Amino acid sequence: MELAVWQTTLLSLLIAIVLFLPLTVHKVEENLEAFLFLCGIIAVSVSKMWSGHLVLTALEDPIKITLAVLIAGLLFRKFNVHLQKLTHKAVKTIGLRWTLFLIVFLLGLTSSIITAIIAALILAEVTVMLPLERKGRTRLVVFSCFAIGMGAVLTSIGEPLGTVVLSKLKGAPHFADFWFLLEHLGWYVFGGVVLMAGMASSIRADVIQKAPGPKAAENNEGDGHTIKSIVIRAAKVYLFVMALVFLGDGLKPLAMQTISHLSASWLYWINALSAVLDNATLAAIEVTPEISTRTLTFLLMSLIISGGMLIPGNIPNIICASKLGIKSKEWAKHAVGLGAALMIACFIILNVVL
């Protein structure tokens, strides 16, 4: 659909509000789910995208992830002691640094099989059991979520982005099969996961030495394993995902009008919008059967990197931030600079290699 000037202006302004308000206004940060839900409603209203199908999609799409969060929360509540013993044994046997490395490395590489959701749930549980203070835990989560976001794209089951891309390219000329994304992105993703694991293992010694330990961390932040807290967390995730469905569909006409026919380099940088928009939505707009392998690589790498920069950018971010009480400003402090550096480095590498 062709947008009027006033619609384009308002939707562009809304993107700026979504990007910056949670980082600058404490009340918005504390009520991020409700804020994004309101922005989603406004976006759909401005773009005039309301339909029964959209409402049904917004109600149905969050169900699977919400059930996963709820069931996993109940299971972790039951087996928390066993997981804690296993985590402590790993730290004692191979040391904290190697434990951190393996957590990020293994979750990143297996997320394409166990799904990004399960990987994030495991991460959220294990993180609070490590002898790290809050800053160290936040950094670990950010590194891990970048790695999970990268790894999950390699198959059609890791996250919706892979499903959308393979579905669009299954015919001529690409004839994309289950291994298509692994073949074209595998080495870039592997390098990114190893880099994130290495950065996690290099968390400064003074951060580790001053850490209060897992039990103290739990006491400081309340019991995250009560039935009430598990249900509330699942409800927040449901609202969060519903908000992103509305926001993604509401901004889709603007995206189609402005970015659907750009070159690989332009797509790469404009896809930084994945920090606040669902990357599967952007991929659905940008990926066509006629797309070249080079352009596809550029746009997918930019989507999966920028998705780690802010909490709304990826499902693992949402799950971990909700579970660990990480605020938007706190996340951005550790993730925006890292994401920007990764974007620049990857852009240079892709231009040299492709």
Side-chain angles (χ1 to χ4, degrees):
M1 63 173 287
E2 189 72 23
L3 292 176
V5 174
W6 69 270
Q7 289 174 301
T8 302
T9 303
L10 286 178
L11 291 176
S12 300
L13 179 61
L14 186 64
I15 291 175
I17 290 172
V18 170
L19 279 170
F20 296 108
L21 219 57
L23 305 179
T24 55
V25 179
H26 185 61
K27 282 290 185 182
V28 171
E29 185 180 39
E30 285 187 330
N31 301 280
L32 187 61
E33 297 86 1
F35 167 73
L36 287 177
F37 182 79
L38 177 61
C39 289
I41 297 297
I42 293 172
V44 176
S45 300
V46 169
S47 59
K48 300 180 180 179
M49 293 290 289
W50 283 110
S51 69
H53 176 72
L54 172 59
V55 173
L56 189 62
T57 300
L59 291 171
E60 289 181 346
D61 274 11
I63 291 176
K64 289 183 180 179
I65 180 176
T66 302
L67 286 175
V69 171
L70 184 61
I71 294 170
L74 294 172
L75 287 174
F76 284 130
R77 180 174 187 266
K78 182 176 179 62
F79 298 106
N80 181 260
V81 174
H82 302 289
L83 186 60
Q84 191 172 47
K85 287 179 179 178
L86 181 63
T87 304
H88 290 174
K89 186 176 181 179
V91 173
K92 186 177 180 180
T93 304
I94 63 175
L96 181 59
R97 293 185 186 280
W98 275 109
T99 301
L100 297 179
F101 181 94
L102 288 176
I103 287 171
V104 178
F105 181 75
L106 293 176
L107 289 178
L109 289 190
T110 61
S111 60
S112 60
I113 303 300
I114 66 174
T115 76
I117 294 172
I118 300 301
L121 291 168
I122 294 172
L123 172 65
E125 291 297 326
V126 170
T127 298
V128 296
M129 298 174 183
L130 294 166
L132 296 172
E133 63 177 357
R134 184 176 181 86
K135 180 181 176 182
R137 291 203 308 274
T138 303
R139 291 179 63 199
L140 173 62
V141 168
V142 167
F143 296 145
S144 299
C145 285
F146 269 110
I148 291 169
M150 293 176 191
V153 76
L154 295 179
T155 70
S156 59
I157 59 177
E159 65 168 330
L161 175 60
T163 306
V164 168
V165 173
L166 292 178
S167 173
K168 288 204 161 225
L169 301 181
K170 63 184 178 181
H174 296 281
F175 298 105
D177 58 10
F178 184 83
W179 306 109
F180 178 82
L181 292 174
L182 178 61
E183 292 171 1
H184 289 86
L185 300 179
W187 285 112
Y188 303 113
V189 167
F190 181 79
V193 170
V194 171
L195 177 62
M196 292 299 100
M199 293 185 72
S201 71
S202 66
I203 293 175
R204 293 185 310 164
D206 62 336
V207 174
I208 295 170
Q209 289 167 1
K210 294 176 183 176
K215 291 188 179 299
E218 289 284 9
N219 292 336
N220 288 339
E221 297 183 26
D223 186 358
H225 291 283
T226 64
I227 298 295
K228 180 180 178 181
S229 66
I230 292 170
V231 171
I232 290 175
R233 186 161 58 246
K236 285 185 175 182
V237 169
Y238 183 93
L239 182 61
F240 213 131
V241 176
M242 180 189 284
L244 294 183
V245 171
F246 283 133
L247 195 59
D249 267 59
L251 294 175
K252 193 172 184 178
L254 178 63
M256 293 183 70
Q257 185 170 298
T258 56
I259 68 177
S260 58
H261 304 293
L262 296 174
S263 66
S265 295
W266 277 105
L267 281 174
Y268 184 89
W269 294 110
I270 289 179
N271 276 346
L273 285 173
S274 182
V276 293
L277 287 179
D278 177 42
N279 52 24
T281 299
L282 290 173
I285 296 167
E286 298 169 0
V287 176
T288 63
E290 296 77 25
I291 195 171
S292 68
T293 302
R294 181 178 187 273
T295 301
L296 179 67
T297 304
F298 268 80
L299 76 86
L300 289 179
M301 290 306 298
S302 64
L303 286 176
I304 61 180
I305 293 173
S306 56
M309 294 170 71
L310 295 174
I311 291 175
N314 221 341
I315 291 297
N317 311 359
I318 297 168
I319 292 173
C320 292
S322 174
K323 171 69 173 69
L324 302 174
I326 300 174
K327 301 300 183 182
S328 298
K329 189 183 297 184
E330 196 176 9
W331 186 285
K333 179 181 177 181
H334 296 287
V336 171
L338 172 61
L342 288 173
M343 290 279 286
I344 294 170
C346 186
F347 184 74
I348 294 171
I349 292 170
L350 291 178
N351 274 291
V352 171
V353 173
L354 299 180

